[in-house]
Amino acid sequence: MKILIVGSGGREHALGWKLAQSPLVSELMSAPGNPGLAALGRTFPVKVEQAAELAALAAREQVDLVVIGPEVAAAAGLADHLATLGIPCFGPSKAAAELEASKAFMKEFCLRHGVPTAEYKVFDDAIRAKAYLGDREPPFVIKADGLAAGKGVVIAETRRAADEAIDEILFLRKFGTAGQRIVIEDFLPGEEASFFALCDGETAIPLVAAQDHKRAYDGDKGPNTGGMGAYSPAPILTDAARDQTMEQIILPTLRGMKAEGRPFVGILFAGLMISADGPKLIEFNVRFGDPECQTLMRRLKSDLAPVLLAAAKGDLANAPALEWDARSAVTVVYAAQGYPDEPLTGSVIRGVTQANAVPDVVVFHAGTREDEDGTLRAAGGRVLNVTATGDTLTQAVASAYAGVAQIDWPGGFCRSDIAWRALG
Ligand code: AMP
Ligand code: GLY
């Protein structure tokens, strides 16, 4: 099989690392890729939003399977372009990607299909939105409707902060056209968990649980980010919570999407709040979580290539069960100073080879670039993912931080407490 991975983050490097181990894979390509993926095969400088160009590339290279990493590529219609060319694609159509690309669509869909989520209202008018808050209690949850790279959500503790957020999104267009509409919803108390299911339009297979840390700094303080670290398993997601999530959230969604003519293929990622009365849906994503995916790939024992192909072909019902390593895995994200607001790029990173030499450690590249002489530099917000496995979560964490200690990068920072909630 020739596989093309679309994306350039740590998630895509982890998928590539796993797929490269498959005896079925003859060539692994990526677009645009990163230095980690470049070590696994050819990379092509095509951007993730260039759906038609990516599809043409897949056709030219006679690719047998395209794996979509980021939601942007799915929302740009890459799967639809590939479908017209008859190229199997692991990832949702543009219409199915609406589950992530429009929070208003997602909330209305949940209402139609009885999926448990916070009560909400959609607004395009700031005066009405502020009036609605008048009858409600803080904290207020205000979300830009469209894709905003995980940053379009404000949890406001006061009315004043909420009003400011509404103005920033609707008037000042802080998130561009993603903020033409806003969703205001009730605050859900509880602990968060990330839930992933492999879907082929009809059948869903749950993956093992993982949990990320969204805030930038230790103690879950500071601004929201795409994720500063992750661990698997996640004790908060019990077997009972998993079964409830499948019955009440994933399967009704899969049935509903099919019935509405938007069958969902790919990874359905449910951001959950585990509350006293069971899991509630915070949001859907239509892709693997980053950095959750990195921990999942470290734990997956089965060959990933035939599973993704089966999902792409609507054949998951006949795929063998997934096998997982009983050991724990953790990812520590090393980010550029200034992330998430204004990451400083260009700084030199040393020690990745030494970190990879630490037992049980694998370093995935995210926002890195390599000079012609091989010097590695920061080229994005989240730059490296130091992952480790261990017999216990405590051991995995210790190994990951032993890897981190080998990296010499004054221009970067990472949290020192990844997995603290699970370690008690
Ligand atoms: P989202 O991009 O929708 O996942 O939101 C980002 C983060 O905001 C989530 O991971 C939660 O920590 C928080 N959040 C979003 N919606 C809610 C809600 N209704 N109640 C509590 N926290 C929320
Ligand atoms: N780590 C959360 C996400 O990928 O959205």
Side-chain angles (χ1 to χ4, degrees):
M1 265 166 92
K2 287 184 172 184
I3 298 183
L4 173 66
I5 298 180
V6 173
S8 62
R11 167 181 54 207
E12 288 78 21
H13 185 195
L15 290 168
W17 171 84
K18 181 66 192 167
L19 288 168
Q21 295 167 32
S22 169
L24 300 173
V25 175
S26 56
E27 190 178 0
L28 198 72
M29 294 165 258
S30 56
N34 64 31
L37 283 157
L40 301 172
R42 287 184 292 156
T43 63
F44 299 86
V46 188
K47 297 202 179 95
V48 296
E49 56 275 13
Q50 293 178 303
E53 289 82 350
L54 288 166
L57 168 67
R60 203 163 57 237
E61 294 293 334
Q62 297 182 309
V63 159
D64 301 295
L65 174 68
V66 174
V67 177
I68 299 183
E71 66 280 8
V72 175
L78 176 54
D80 309 76
H81 282 282
L82 290 166
T84 64
L85 297 170
I87 301 172
C89 174
F90 181 78
S93 66
K94 185 177 165 81
E98 283 282 288
L99 276 180
E100 176 169 359
S102 168
K103 292 194 192 283
F105 171 79
M106 172 282 211
K107 296 297 281 191
E108 284 152 15
F109 177 90
C110 287
L111 202 60
R112 287 198 290 280
H113 297 280
V115 174
T117 182
E119 278 196 47
Y120 74 102
K121 263 199 147 48
V122 181
F123 297 94
D124 56 12
D125 179 289
I127 295 171
R128 292 222 179 94
K130 289 176 191 172
Y132 174 73
L133 292 184
D135 310 328
R136 317 194 70 87
E137 296 289 313
F140 305 105
V141 181
I142 295 150
K143 303 183 172 185
D145 175 53
L147 294 178
K151 291 168 200 152
V153 175
V154 178
I155 314 277
E157 301 293 340
T158 62
R159 241 330 270 285
R160 193 174 157 168
D163 287 353
E164 265 173 34
I166 291 170
D167 287 338
E168 276 178 2
I169 300 174
L170 286 177
F171 282 142
L172 301 177
R173 287 289 158 87
K174 186 172 176 188
F175 303 111
T177 54
Q180 276 167 337
R181 294 193 290 175
I182 57 172
V183 171
I184 297 184
E185 62 181 43
D186 287 355
F187 182 82
L188 296 170
E191 193 176 329
E192 281 181 63
S194 302
F195 189 94
F196 301 94
L198 261 171
C199 302
D200 70 354
E202 215 154 314
T203 301
I205 299 178
L207 308 187
V208 290
Q211 192 161 351
D212 77 340
H213 293 268
K214 291 237 161 54
R215 303 297 194 98
Y217 313 131
D218 281 7
D220 291 326
K221 302 269 183 347
N224 254 319
T225 72
M228 292 300 290
Y231 54 97
S232 174
I236 180 84
L237 211 82
T238 58
D239 288 355
R242 181 197 60 208
D243 294 347
Q244 267 183 311
T245 304
M246 285 301 285
E247 290 307 315
Q248 296 172 8
I249 297 177
I250 302 294
L251 294 174
T253 298
L254 217 55
R255 283 194 294 268
M257 290 295 277
K258 185 162 182 247
E260 295 190 10
R262 317 172 179 238
F264 186 90
V265 174
I267 289 285
L268 186 56
F269 165 2
L272 302 176
M273 193 63 88
I274 309 293
S275 67
D277 55 341
K280 294 222 163 66
L281 182 70
I282 300 176
E283 61 160 357
F284 272 132
N285 297 305
V286 299
R287 49 167 176 88
F288 273 111
D290 184 344
E292 292 96 320
C293 178
Q294 292 83 314
T295 58
L296 297 180
M297 290 306 111
R298 292 297 314 270
R299 290 191 61 207
L300 182 63
K301 294 214 298 208
S302 311
D303 189 343
L304 183 62
V307 182
L308 297 187
L309 187 64
K313 291 187 164 175
D315 202 22
L316 267 189
N318 299 315
L322 294 177
E323 282 183 60
W324 298 93
D325 195 332
R327 289 184 305 162
S328 298
V330 61
T331 305
V332 177
V333 171
Y334 223 135
Q337 298 283 359
Y339 178 76
D341 293 331
E342 284 179 47
L344 286 165
T345 58
S347 55
V348 175
I349 304 162
R350 295 190 180 84
V352 172
T353 308
Q354 289 84 337
N356 269 316
V358 174
D360 301 320
V361 169
V362 176
V363 181
F364 294 122
H365 288 248
T368 61
R369 67 180 163 84
E370 221 165 47
D371 293 347
E372 263 168 36
D373 67 1
T375 304
L376 195 65
R377 290 180 191 273
R382 293 186 292 172
V383 174
L384 292 173
N385 305 144
V386 182
T387 72
T389 50
D391 288 340
T392 61
L393 193 54
T394 306
Q395 280 174 19
V397 168
S399 295
Y401 282 107
V404 166
Q406 294 298 318
I407 290 174
D408 172 13
W409 179 29
F413 76 100
C414 62
R415 282 183 54 165
S416 66
D417 65 348
I418 296 308
W420 69 272
R421 278 183 200 276
L423 297 176

